[in-house]
């Protein structure tokens, strides 16, 4: 291994107990995200073995008891005795923090685990963990447990309860890890199959040719899902665009290596008006962008402008087209593999390395101009340039429209935010804006709110579907214009988060189909034209109660069906249930108490965790291809959900 640890640092390194003391330091939280981090850590280690060419098949299984198995057919974790620690490599990996030396040794060219805290943290936060290694024709196994020690009055984290022992012979090589997340650490140890399968699919796209299998044994006749995409990021773009109208069939693919940075990029344009760029570094989504996206955007703009001039799409006197014009309708996946990654930003998902910008600029400049100059690609080049020229015209029109709007509103003095009931407080960090569906609910909200820091913006009917409309049409729609001027940030290229007047923007819509539709349209709008509002954590969804249960003395507000069953059970015999069809059924006092009072309300922060999936869902829901939308709504909407009241025979 090369590293030699002094005695003192061994003490530090063995601090698995420290992991249990402050798990949030290592996995962020002990909620659902933290729970899944355990799985990502082990999967990343298997993916690293594959990304470095030693494994081709990875399988993930969630068992009935909520334990999880990950297996790969790589070289198998080294079983030899560690020169200074005197224990097998396997035991080092699972009992020493940041062991495995993946961070700076030549065995691993790239490591997704860079976000990773090491497999030892998974061990420390599990009830038990078993590892099996096939290597040197033998099958080795070791078991670890986090057990309570009555003498010490504390849990010993991840203690080896067996030595690494040979339990048989083996053909082939590989590593298998099975662990049970510790319910003394995590509120809920049940992994979410949708979250797992989406991430495994994404990893298969980002590591073309690797087969990743997933099976959830908690589901009767659990079907095994297999993800394998030989086309890698090219297949990823195909998947992202499958419900869109593409401008050109062939996908533009570029790959190269510069200064030790390996780059893969796939691009395909559609008739959509917004840009969808998804970037990754060592398989980690960089939702806040960074130097790689900056390099990509500047090279794309430079190369396309040069091409447009050279082929007389642009006259000598014409100004250059803007980056935004060239990115309208683009779907692109950018995947980097590199060492010594610096993550920045609010959620550490922004790439900071400047060498990434120069590497991407060089590769895109060289390979994109080469691609466009190929006669066979002349048609594709033409479509891309012409779409950008049209976009520039519309942008110019929108700018003029905005000018007129500004003059008009400043002349008339009647600001666009006529319907906004603003708050008296002037500190954006404390202020909240409720976007409320329906005039009547809006009225109740205005009366029920705390006007010191809560502003209300009632929406009339269903605002315009933003997906298929151009910027200027979106702007002209009064509903959105009202929201835009209320928030104060501007949109698209003009967006400036520093001008945000409300640090919480809370969408309040009914818990029915229309409410879901309104919510999806608003999410589309914010996702497409104010993405930073989401990535900086300012957008929330308010949860009004679904039921009010009372036995004459007590009254309980219930927010979901599981809760209803529990509340009814301990309500005793005589009780009545009022089911809220919409916000408008609550009086101002009830709306305040149940949905607006920061001390009692429930609001969900909208995070663009899986932007790729969000983009697809919105396209399916809002796009103009009817078939996929019908499939999605039938498959996922719970409109035909068994009515829980009937179920309870109320
Ligand atoms: C189910 C999870 O963890 N797979 C892994 C390997 C292979 C090696 C390794 C891992 C490198 C030098 C520290 C084998 N032979 N799947 C996994 N496969 N770790 S984790 O080495 C450990 C680090 O020491 C490996 C030669 N070099 C590396």
């Amino acid at each position: 291994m090369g590293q030699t640890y002094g005695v003192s640092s061994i003490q530090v390194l063995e601090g698995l107990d420290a992991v249990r003391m402050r798990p949030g330091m290592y996995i962020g939280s002990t909620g659902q995200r933290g729970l899944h981090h355990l799985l990502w850590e082990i999967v990343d280690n298997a993916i690293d073995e594959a990304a470095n060419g030693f494994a081709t098949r990875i399988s993930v299984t969630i068992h009935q008891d909520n334990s999880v198995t990950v297996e790969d057919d790589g070289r198998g974790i080294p079983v030899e005795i560690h020169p200074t620690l005197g224990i097998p490599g396997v035991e080092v990996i699972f009992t020493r923090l940041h062991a495995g030396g993946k961070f700076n040794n030549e065995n691993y060219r790239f490591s997704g685990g860079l976000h990773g805290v090491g497999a030892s943290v998974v061990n420390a936060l599990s009830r038990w963990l078993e590892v099996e290694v096939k290597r040197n024709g033998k099958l080795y196994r070791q078991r670890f447990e986090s057990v309570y020690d009555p003498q010490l009055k504390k849990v010993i984290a991840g203690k080896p309860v067996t030595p690494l022992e040979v339990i048989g012979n083996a053909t082939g090589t590989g590593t298998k890890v099975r662990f049970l997340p510790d319910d003394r650490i995590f509120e809920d140890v049940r992994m979410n199959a949708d979250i797992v399968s989406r991430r495994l699919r994404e990893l298969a796209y980002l590591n073309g040719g690797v087969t990743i299998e997933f099976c959830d044994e908690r589901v009767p006749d659990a079907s095994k899902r297999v993800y394998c995409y030989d086309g890698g990021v090219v297949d990823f773009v195909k998947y992202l665009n499958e419900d869109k109208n593409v401008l050109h069939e062939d996908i533009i693919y570029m790959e190269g290596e510069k200064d030790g940075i390996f780059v893969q990029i796939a691009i395909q344009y559609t008739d959509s008006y917004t840009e969808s760029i998804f970037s990754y570094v060592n398989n980690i989504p960089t939702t806040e962008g960074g130097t790689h996206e900056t390099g990509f955007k500047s090279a794309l703009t430079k190369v396309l402008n040069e091409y447009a001039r050279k082929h007389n799409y642009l006259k000598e006197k014409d100004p250059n087209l803007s980056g935004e014009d060239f990115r309208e309708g683009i779907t692109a996946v950018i995947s980097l593999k590199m060492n010594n990654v610096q993550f920045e930003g609010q959620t550490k998902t922004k790439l900071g390395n400047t060498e990434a910008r120069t590497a991407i600029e060089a590769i895109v400049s060289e390979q994109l101009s080469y691609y466009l100059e190929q006669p066979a690609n002349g048609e594709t080049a033409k479509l891309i340039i012409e779409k950008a020229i049209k976009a520039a015209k519309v942008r110019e029109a929108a700018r003029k429209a905005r000018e007129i709007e500004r003059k008009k509103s400043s002349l008339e003095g009647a600001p666009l935010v006529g319907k906004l009931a603003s708050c008296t407080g002037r500190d954006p960090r404390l202020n909240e804006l409720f976007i409320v569906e329906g005039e009547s609910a809006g009225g109740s909200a205005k009366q029920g709110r705390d006007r010191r820091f809560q502003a209300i913006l009632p929406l009339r009917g269903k605002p315009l579907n933003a997906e298929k409309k151009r910027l200027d049409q979106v702007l002209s729609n009064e509903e959105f214009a009202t929201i835009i001027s209320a928030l104060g940030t501007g949109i698209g290229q003009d967006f400036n988060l520093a001008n945000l007047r409300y640090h919480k923007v809370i969408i309040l819509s009914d818990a029915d189909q229309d409410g879901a539709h309104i919510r999806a349209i608003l999410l589309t709008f914010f996702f497409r034209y104010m993405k930073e509002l989401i990535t900086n954590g300012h957008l929330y969804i308010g949860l009004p109660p679904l039921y009010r249960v009372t036995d004459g003395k007590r009254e309980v507000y219930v927010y979901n069906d599981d809760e209803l069953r529990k509340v009814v059970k301990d309500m005793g015999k005589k009780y009545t249930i009022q089911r809220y069809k919409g916000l408008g059924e609550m009086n101002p006092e009830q709306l305040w108490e149940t949905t607006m009072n920061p001390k009692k309300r429930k609001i969900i922060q909208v995070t663009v965790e899986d932007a790729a999936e969000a983009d697809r869902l919105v396209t399916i829901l809002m796009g103009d291809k009817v078939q996929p939308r019908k499939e999605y709504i039938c498959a996922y909407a719970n409109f035909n959900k068994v009515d829980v009241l009937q179920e309870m025979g109320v």
Side-chain angles (χ1 to χ4, degrees):
M1 288 264 268
Q3 295 94 339
T4 51
Y5 301 112
V7 173
S8 58
S9 60
I10 283 187
Q11 194 51 39
V12 167
L13 281 176
E14 284 169 344
L16 285 199
D17 299 352
V19 174
R20 286 184 72 93
M21 232 88 85
R22 301 173 67 194
M25 282 272 288
Y26 299 87
I27 54 171
S29 79
T30 55
Q32 279 290 296
R33 281 164 62 94
L35 173 75
H36 288 87
H37 264 299
L38 300 189
L39 176 57
W40 305 151
E41 181 49 45
I42 303 298
V43 168
D44 283 350
N45 291 341
I47 287 281
D48 285 348
E49 191 64 0
N52 289 288
F54 300 111
T56 58
R57 193 170 203 79
I58 294 166
S59 75
V60 175
T61 306
I62 303 177
H63 303 283
Q64 298 266 9
D65 65 356
N66 284 314
S67 67
V68 187
T69 296
V70 183
E71 181 167 12
D72 72 43
D73 60 352
R75 295 166 291 182
I77 300 177
V79 295
E80 294 71 31
I81 298 301
H82 185 283
T84 53
L85 294 174
I87 54 175
V90 172
E91 191 167 332
V92 173
I93 297 267
F94 287 97
T95 59
R96 299 308 196 266
L97 273 183
H98 289 312
K102 270 192 324 191
F103 295 91
N104 50 20
N105 79 345
E106 63 302 328
N107 291 41
Y108 273 76
R109 270 162 38 78
F110 309 109
S111 133
L114 209 110
H115 251 285
V117 286
S120 57
V121 167
V122 181
N123 184 21
L125 300 176
S126 296
R127 278 262 184 198
W128 51 263
L129 181 146
E130 269 187 11
V131 52
E132 289 185 5
V133 170
K134 293 198 287 189
R135 201 173 157 96
N136 324 319
K138 299 213 175 325
L139 177 57
Y140 300 81
R141 186 177 62 197
Q142 183 162 23
R143 181 180 170 87
F144 306 87
E145 292 175 7
S146 297
V147 287
Y148 181 75
D149 179 318
Q151 259 80 16
L152 297 175
K153 289 197 180 0
K154 70 170 186 171
V155 173
I156 308 296
K159 180 166 163 280
V161 295
T162 75
L164 179 71
E165 50 202 3
V166 174
I167 58 167
N169 294 327
T171 50
T173 56
T175 303
K176 176 158 77 167
V177 175
R178 180 168 180 173
F179 65 93
L180 175 63
D182 196 329
D183 53 307
R184 297 167 294 187
I185 300 278
F186 298 97
E187 298 99 52
D188 181 354
V189 295
R190 290 170 300 168
M191 298 266 180
N192 177 308
D194 283 343
I195 293 177
V196 174
S197 57
R198 277 190 355 219
R199 175 60 179 159
L200 295 179
R201 184 213 303 265
E202 187 176 65
L203 283 168
Y205 279 124
L206 295 170
N207 297 275
V210 176
T211 300
I212 304 180
E213 298 173 354
F214 173 50
C215 179
D216 182 357
E217 293 182 341
R218 301 169 300 181
V219 175
D221 67 43
S223 56
K224 172 150 68 169
R225 283 171 266 199
V226 182
Y227 303 120
C228 180
Y229 306 102
D230 292 338
V233 292
V234 169
D235 287 349
F236 199 171
V237 166
K238 260 190 208 129
Y239 166 71
L240 291 171
N241 283 347
E242 69 188 2
D243 307 315
K244 295 186 177 180
N245 303 315
V246 297
L247 287 195
H248 52 97
E249 279 312 315
D250 54 319
I251 291 177
I252 303 171
Y253 177 66
M254 298 171 271
E255 93 168 41
E257 175 163 355
K258 189 169 179 344
D259 309 332
I261 298 172
F262 181 59
V263 176
Q264 293 176 304
I265 297 173
I267 299 172
Q268 186 180 42
Y269 282 83
T270 69
D271 68 355
S272 157
Y273 306 127
T274 57
E275 68 179 76
S276 301
I277 297 178
F278 302 99
S279 59
Y280 300 83
V281 176
N282 296 342
N283 303 320
I284 293 160
T286 37
T287 34
E288 291 172 274
T291 47
H292 50 344
E293 284 198 20
T294 314
F296 170 73
K297 290 177 178 177
S298 59
L300 182 81
T301 307
K302 180 170 71 66
V303 166
L304 290 176
N305 268 313
E306 280 165 5
Y307 181 87
R309 283 193 192 289
K310 183 176 171 194
H311 294 256
N312 296 318
Y313 291 100
L314 282 180
K315 302 283 169 295
E316 192 56 42
K317 63 178 179 18
D318 291 338
N320 268 354
L321 298 173
S322 78
E324 193 189 36
D325 299 331
F326 283 123
R327 292 195 304 273
E328 184 181 280
I330 194 170
T331 298
V333 173
I334 303 169
S335 174
L336 260 64
K337 305 270 170 82
M338 62 185 282
N339 282 320
N340 307 320
V341 180
Q342 278 122 33
F343 287 107
E344 296 171 359
Q346 194 91 359
T347 53
K348 291 279 167 269
T349 58
K350 183 172 191 170
L351 181 64
N353 302 69
T354 49
E355 63 272 30
R357 186 170 46 70
T358 40
I360 290 250
E361 276 173 354
I363 291 167
V364 172
S365 302
E366 181 205 332
Q367 297 195 22
L368 183 59
S369 36
Y370 177 81
Y371 174 91
L372 296 170
E373 291 303 343
Q374 299 309 303
N377 302 326
E379 187 51 29
T380 300
K382 178 169 175 288
L383 288 165
I384 293 171
I385 301 296
E386 287 181 343
K387 177 165 172 71
I389 289 172
K390 232 186 301 179
K393 288 200 177 77
V394 167
R395 181 164 51 83
E396 193 40 34
R399 197 187 55 71
K400 287 202 185 71
R402 260 199 308 279
E403 278 314 303
I404 295 163
E405 284 304 304
R406 276 198 203 106
K407 282 201 193 66
K408 207 173 69 176
S409 59
S410 60
L411 289 177
E412 288 155 14
L416 266 170
V417 294
K419 296 207 309 298
L420 173 76
S422 54
C423 56
T424 54
R426 284 283 158 267
D427 181 349
R429 288 165 305 175
L430 305 177
N431 288 350
E432 306 176 342
L433 174 66
F434 283 87
I435 302 176
V436 185
E437 174 194 2
E439 300 285 355
S440 71
S444 302
K446 283 180 185 175
Q447 292 171 52
R449 68 181 166 142
D450 181 333
R451 60 185 58 229
R452 287 170 301 173
F453 64 95
Q454 291 182 327
I456 308 295
L457 205 173
L459 285 187
R460 236 195 344 276
K462 245 178 248 175
L464 186 69
N465 160 358
E467 166 63 16
K468 295 311 290 174
K469 295 287 173 295
R470 283 188 175 289
L471 200 61
D472 55 322
Q473 289 158 314
V474 169
L475 258 186
S476 63
N477 176 281
E478 194 201 333
E479 298 285 6
F480 286 117
T482 310
I483 294 173
I484 295 163
S485 40
L487 292 178
T489 53
I491 60 172
Q493 202 171 19
D494 305 344
F495 185 86
N496 178 353
L497 194 65
N499 299 337
L500 180 62
R501 294 201 188 103
Y502 306 92
H503 277 211
K504 281 197 174 68
V505 179
I506 302 169
I507 298 172
L508 267 196
S509 63
D510 291 342
D512 61 10
Q513 203 165 343
D514 272 358
H517 193 161
I518 293 248
R519 204 167 36 245
I521 289 181
L522 287 169
L523 288 182
T524 308
F525 173 72
F526 287 119
F527 176 73
R528 300 224 180 294
Y529 297 104
M530 296 186 172
K531 199 178 203 178
E532 279 184 65
L533 195 75
I534 302 178
T535 52
N536 283 279
H538 295 297
L539 186 59
Y540 295 81
I541 290 172
L543 286 183
L546 295 180
Y547 308 97
R548 175 173 165 275
V549 186
T550 167
D551 59 2
K553 289 190 293 302
R554 286 179 304 157
E555 76 171 15
V556 179
Y557 289 100
V558 179
Y559 292 82
N560 61 53
D561 291 337
D562 281 348
E563 222 181 301
L564 181 64
R565 291 187 186 84
K566 275 193 216 105
V567 164
V568 160
K569 216 183 288 169
D570 65 22
M571 260 282 174
K573 286 284 156 278
K574 228 171 52 51
Y575 59 80
T576 55
I577 298 178
Q578 176 189 358
R579 177 186 202 144
Y580 287 116
K581 284 267 176 306
L583 296 159
E585 290 175 305
M586 277 184 270
N587 63 40
E589 184 47 33
Q590 285 170 329
L591 193 57
W592 160 255
E593 275 311 315
T594 61
T595 313
M596 299 176 75
N597 177 351
K599 294 189 182 58
K600 297 192 179 155
R601 71 189 178 194
K602 296 177 193 289
I603 54 174
I604 304 172
Q605 187 170 44
V606 176
T607 61
V608 190
E609 189 56 35
D610 183 343
E613 197 58 24
D615 183 70
R616 271 173 42 76
L617 293 194
V618 157
T619 305
I620 291 173
L621 276 178
M622 302 295 158
D624 57 9
K625 284 197 166 183
V626 177
Q627 189 47 35
R629 184 170 26 199
K630 221 170 39 248
E631 280 156 18
Y632 173 78
I633 287 180
C634 299
Y636 290 91
N638 55 8
F639 307 132
N640 50 7
K641 164 183 75 170
V642 171
D643 187 309
V644 69
L645 298 178
Q646 287 163 0
E647 184 191 289
M648 290 161 41
V650 172

